[in-house]
Amino acid sequence: MSLINNLSRLPVYIGAGVISGVVSWAGEYFLPNVTWVINIYPGFILGLAIYLVHSGGKFSFNVKTFLPLLILITASVVGWRLAVEIGYEYGSPMRFTAAGALGGLSVAVGLIWVWSVRTSKAIFLLLVILTVAGAFGGWFFKTVHGASPASTDDALWTSLLLVEWQVILFVAIWFARQIVKTGK
């Protein structure tokens, strides 16, 4: 695939980041107030969105498609929980950066398997690209919105966090897809 064709897919990745961020944020308004549902929902949506972008929006119910979906959702849910419970909680003074890095790292671990990444150089590249992108997303959000008027409106603040971070992550996934050599 030529670079022009690959570049033409970038808006799909950006759009997936926006949509998954908005759907993750909107969940608090329609989900039942059940702790375990609220704890996994944003990661579930992110993993599903990554899978749909990766598969070109195609899904059929078989082991070949279900296992990558399950891995991406699991990696994203684990990343979400690590980001909140460890990165944000203990990452002071750079809580958002630490949380974003953990989220990106976890997604990268899931993509290693889904993309059949085989070489240590490719694994290292994927881990670095997505971890740095996740950290950058957290830092960017805190830098832009840390003291902005948006920080006083919890709903707006949360939506900006989820959308901005997920768009940055999806752009990084697109970029990694261009340079990381896979076994496929």
Side-chain angles (χ1 to χ4, degrees):
M1 198 179 276
S2 73
L3 182 57
I4 299 298
N5 287 340
N6 290 339
L7 198 54
S8 70
R9 295 253 322 136
L10 182 57
V12 172
Y13 283 76
I14 293 169
V18 170
I19 291 168
S20 67
V22 168
V23 172
S24 295
W25 163 75
E28 76 178 271
Y29 297 105
F30 65 84
L31 289 174
N33 194 12
V34 178
T35 302
W36 72 268
V37 172
I38 293 168
N39 283 343
I40 68 167
Y41 179 76
F44 179 87
I45 295 301
L46 176 62
L48 179 62
I50 293 169
Y51 175 82
L52 289 172
V53 167
H54 169 69
S55 69
K58 299 174 189 162
F59 182 77
S60 59
F61 290 99
N62 61 47
V63 174
K64 188 176 180 181
T65 59
F66 182 72
L67 200 50
L69 174 63
L70 183 63
I71 287 168
L72 290 172
I73 288 174
T74 301
S76 297
V77 168
V78 167
W80 170 250
R81 297 314 314 153
L82 287 172
V84 171
E85 302 295 333
I86 295 174
Y88 184 78
E89 189 69 29
Y90 300 107
S92 188
M94 301 200 51
R95 291 181 166 162
F96 289 94
T97 304
L102 285 171
L105 174 65
S106 187
V107 168
V109 169
L111 284 172
I112 287 169
W113 187 86
V114 172
W115 288 355
S116 301
V117 179
R118 304 273 189 251
T119 68
S120 57
K121 179 182 176 185
I123 290 170
F124 177 76
L125 269 173
L126 185 56
L127 290 171
V128 167
I129 290 167
L130 294 189
T131 302
V132 168
F136 174 75
W139 173 86
F140 179 82
F141 172 78
K142 182 64 175 164
T143 301
V144 172
H145 303 292
S148 76
S151 65
T152 61
D153 181 349
D154 191 48
L156 175 61
W157 189 79
T158 303
S159 68
L160 291 171
L161 170 62
L162 291 168
V163 170
E164 289 173 4
W165 188 83
Q166 289 187 34
V167 166
I168 290 169
L169 182 71
F170 271 94
V171 169
I173 292 169
W174 173 85
F175 177 71
R177 196 71 177 139
Q178 309 313 303
I179 65 170
V180 172
K181 303 293 183 214
T182 66
K184 291 185 176 183

